[in-house]
Amino acid sequence: MGIRLGIIGVEDNLELMGSVASEYSEFTNSLFLHTRSEDVIDILESHQHDIDMWLFSGYTPYLIAKEWGKVEKPMFFVKYPGSSLYKTLYYALYQHNLNMNELSFDCFTPSELKQVFEELAVSFTSNHLKMYEGSAELLVKHHYELWKTGKTKAAVTCVWAVSNELKKMGVPVFRVTPTKSAIQTTLNLALRTNEMLLFKNKQIAVQMFEINNMFGLSKNMYSSDEIYNKEIGITQKLLIYSKKVQGSLKTVGPGRYVIFSTRGELSDITGNFTTVPDVEEIKQLSQQDITCGIGIGQSAYEAEINAGKALLHAKEYKNGAWMVFLDNKTINGPLGKPEKITYTYESKKYQAISERTLLSVATISKVDSILGKIGKSEITAHELGQHLQIMPRSARRILDQLLKNGFAKEIAEETPHPRGRPRKIYRVLL
């Protein structure tokens, strides 16, 4: 079976996209018609498990899917290059005798329009251009107001819904549709992406497990036979689990185990590295506080080193945390936890800040990731400590170092409790 390609388009281009895609033997195509924004999400939700890649007829449905945020498969949209616009302008200029500056445009960038205008030896003005900002209604208003006030005589739009609405309002409109070559370019990109993913899924992945307080020696004393039986029990559970991820198990010391597998297998069982595997063996071991570091690498050695680094980061959190160290030097975790963040281990930007503040690159990256997650640059030491799973005084030291070196400002204070000490609010400027 080929790559299961889901094609989402509107009625004036879906048939063309399906026809071009059918020329590729690598794809097994499923066509989905959408007429409203809500249709896009309904289609994605209903067919997520039946499709390997998604192809959208344009940027608008692609953006809807991206903002929905629940699509885990690769997504592509057909771009509207100059050739698509030339075809539309031919009808407007030569068959309808319109002047270029009598037209309003949407969705193109100023540079794209400028290039087309220059090639046609026509002066360019961006006053009649509106970029797509997530609302077809705003595009309709843009074209209608220009036409109503006599500034333009017709609209050129890339959005099918905008074209339909303007026609209802009596505005002359020309719809830009994708060319066959643009569709072919996007399909070729999808094929290259699939090849990359196949290679990526075959990367070496290593899981390094550490059983915290393996035998509970602080509370109980065990005979050598009892300790041996406990080790055997843990090993048997991990052997069963390792078969589920097509891996091999190695014991590397008391309470520490390593499983060698592939990125694809671990990505599947962890939901693309977002959750702890929902399997019985891991649930049983979690009762003994199992901490895990996952490392990805081009070689077994690199993956094992990265797994060790991930384990160290996991141990910074409460027992039982799972962290992933990817081959692009980013760290993700704790898996399945609300405080989960993604931060980098190497960055020129963070390195420069690190040298001035003496904070580690990882710490600075964590702070930046947390700010991105909460969607603001203002934070207290108490909030930062909660996200980092550290004491507020430790978080305050981090913020004070940023403050001292010009990467933060004190902007206010808050008193969460009537008798409590006021908390400083910092604006972090990374």
Side-chain angles (χ1 to χ4, degrees):
M1 186 170 68
I3 303 164
R4 298 173 299 175
L5 182 68
I7 303 175
I8 299 180
V10 290
E11 64 184 35
D12 66 351
N13 59 30
L14 182 61
E15 186 177 343
L16 172 62
M17 292 173 64
S19 174
V20 176
S22 66
E23 298 173 5
Y24 289 74
S25 59
E26 297 90 342
F27 294 115
T28 301
N29 305 310
S30 297
L31 275 58
F32 303 97
L33 176 69
H34 83 89
T35 56
R36 306 168 304 139
S37 299
E38 295 82 1
D39 295 339
V40 175
I41 295 175
D42 289 343
I43 293 166
L44 294 170
E45 205 162 21
S46 301
H47 299 277
Q48 279 212 81
H49 303 296
D50 311 323
I51 299 297
D52 300 316
M53 289 183 166
W54 291 101
L55 174 63
F56 299 91
S57 59
Y59 182 65
T60 306
Y62 168 82
L63 186 61
I64 291 169
K66 189 175 180 182
E67 290 180 343
W68 184 51
K70 296 182 181 179
V71 181
E72 296 179 355
K73 305 296 175 61
M75 299 188 297
F76 307 87
F77 67 93
V78 179
K79 294 186 178 180
Y80 290 58
S83 55
S84 300
L85 183 56
Y86 287 135
K87 181 180 69 174
T88 306
L89 291 178
Y90 172 79
Y91 291 113
L93 302 180
Y94 297 105
Q95 294 194 1
H96 295 269
N97 297 316
L98 290 168
N99 184 289
M100 188 80 79
N101 289 311
E102 293 175 332
L103 301 172
S104 56
F105 298 86
D106 63 39
C107 293
F108 291 98
T109 66
S111 61
E112 287 171 333
L113 270 191
K114 185 178 180 181
Q115 182 179 349
V116 171
F117 275 48
E118 286 177 349
E119 290 174 355
L120 294 173
V122 177
S123 59
F124 169 70
T125 173
S126 61
N127 296 336
H128 298 164
L129 171 64
K130 176 81 172 173
M131 292 293 293
Y132 182 73
E133 299 172 350
S135 170
E137 289 78 8
L138 289 177
L139 297 184
V140 172
K141 183 179 179 182
H142 157 73
H143 292 294
Y144 180 73
E145 291 296 329
L146 288 170
W147 175 78
K148 184 180 178 182
T149 55
K151 295 177 182 177
T152 60
K153 291 185 179 179
V156 176
T157 180
C158 298
V159 184
W160 179 77
V162 172
S163 174
N164 280 2
E165 193 61 33
L166 289 174
K167 286 177 183 176
K168 293 177 186 176
M169 301 167 80
V171 181
V173 59
F174 300 92
R175 163 92 159 104
V176 183
T177 54
T179 61
K180 182 176 180 179
S181 61
I183 298 170
Q184 289 172 331
T185 298
T186 309
L187 290 170
N188 290 333
L189 174 61
L191 286 177
R192 291 198 302 271
T193 301
N194 184 65
E195 290 172 2
M196 181 197 72
L197 289 174
L198 288 174
F199 168 77
K200 196 174 184 180
N201 283 337
K202 290 177 182 176
Q203 283 182 303
I204 302 296
V206 172
Q207 287 180 275
M208 190 172 288
F209 295 97
E210 188 171 286
I211 310 296
N212 307 298
N213 193 24
M214 184 173 176
F215 307 118
L217 295 181
S218 59
K219 296 180 180 178
N220 304 292
M221 295 301 293
Y222 293 93
S223 69
S224 58
D225 287 343
E226 288 174 319
I227 292 175
Y228 178 74
N229 287 335
K230 282 184 174 291
E231 285 181 320
I232 290 295
I234 291 170
T235 302
Q236 286 176 336
K237 291 182 177 67
L238 286 175
L239 277 170
I240 296 170
Y241 169 72
S242 67
K243 288 181 181 178
K244 292 181 178 179
V245 294
Q246 301 295 305
S248 60
L249 176 68
K250 182 173 79 171
T251 303
V252 292
R256 184 169 287 196
Y257 305 82
V258 171
I259 293 177
F260 291 84
S261 184
T262 63
R263 180 176 188 149
E265 292 291 340
L266 286 191
S267 179
D268 288 343
I269 204 166
T270 60
N272 197 23
F273 302 114
T274 58
T275 62
V276 174
D278 186 20
V279 296
E280 189 59 35
E281 295 75 34
I282 296 301
K283 288 179 181 177
Q284 292 174 3
L285 290 171
S286 294
Q287 296 172 3
Q288 294 178 270
D289 282 338
I290 184 170
T291 301
C292 177
I294 300 174
I296 309 295
Q298 302 296 337
S299 66
Y301 175 78
E302 181 187 357
E304 190 169 4
I305 292 297
N306 288 344
K309 292 176 181 176
L311 183 63
L312 288 175
H313 283 265
K315 290 169 74 172
E316 292 178 5
Y317 292 86
K318 295 176 181 177
N319 289 345
W322 286 49
M323 302 289 286
V324 183
F325 194 109
L326 299 171
D327 55 329
N328 63 358
K329 306 303 180 186
T330 59
I331 301 170
N332 183 20
L335 304 191
K337 303 292 183 181
E339 63 268 21
K340 176 177 163 296
I341 58 173
T342 299
Y343 53 97
T344 184
Y345 201 72
E346 289 186 2
S347 164
K348 290 182 180 178
K349 168 189 169 184
Y350 298 139
Q351 187 63 47
I353 299 173
S354 174
E355 290 172 1
R356 287 179 56 182
T357 61
L358 301 181
L359 297 171
S360 70
V361 170
T363 296
I364 297 165
S365 181
K366 284 181 186 179
V367 173
D368 205 9
S369 182
I370 289 165
L371 296 174
K373 183 178 180 179
I374 65 177
K376 60 180 182 177
S377 58
E378 294 78 27
I379 196 166
T380 66
H382 182 77
E383 291 173 315
L384 182 61
Q386 285 183 319
H387 284 284
L388 290 175
Q389 297 286 293
I390 59 176
M391 297 296 291
R393 62 175 177 271
S394 300
R396 194 174 301 111
R397 280 196 288 269
I398 293 171
L399 291 169
D400 285 343
Q401 279 296 100
L402 294 173
L403 177 68
K404 190 187 303 181
N405 292 279
F407 296 105
K409 291 181 180 178
E410 290 181 14
I411 59 170
E413 287 187 347
E414 65 175 11
T415 306
H417 306 291
R419 296 184 180 181
R421 292 176 57 187
R423 295 173 180 169
K424 294 177 181 178
I425 301 175
Y426 298 79
R427 176 173 292 135
V428 181
L429 311 166
L430 299 179

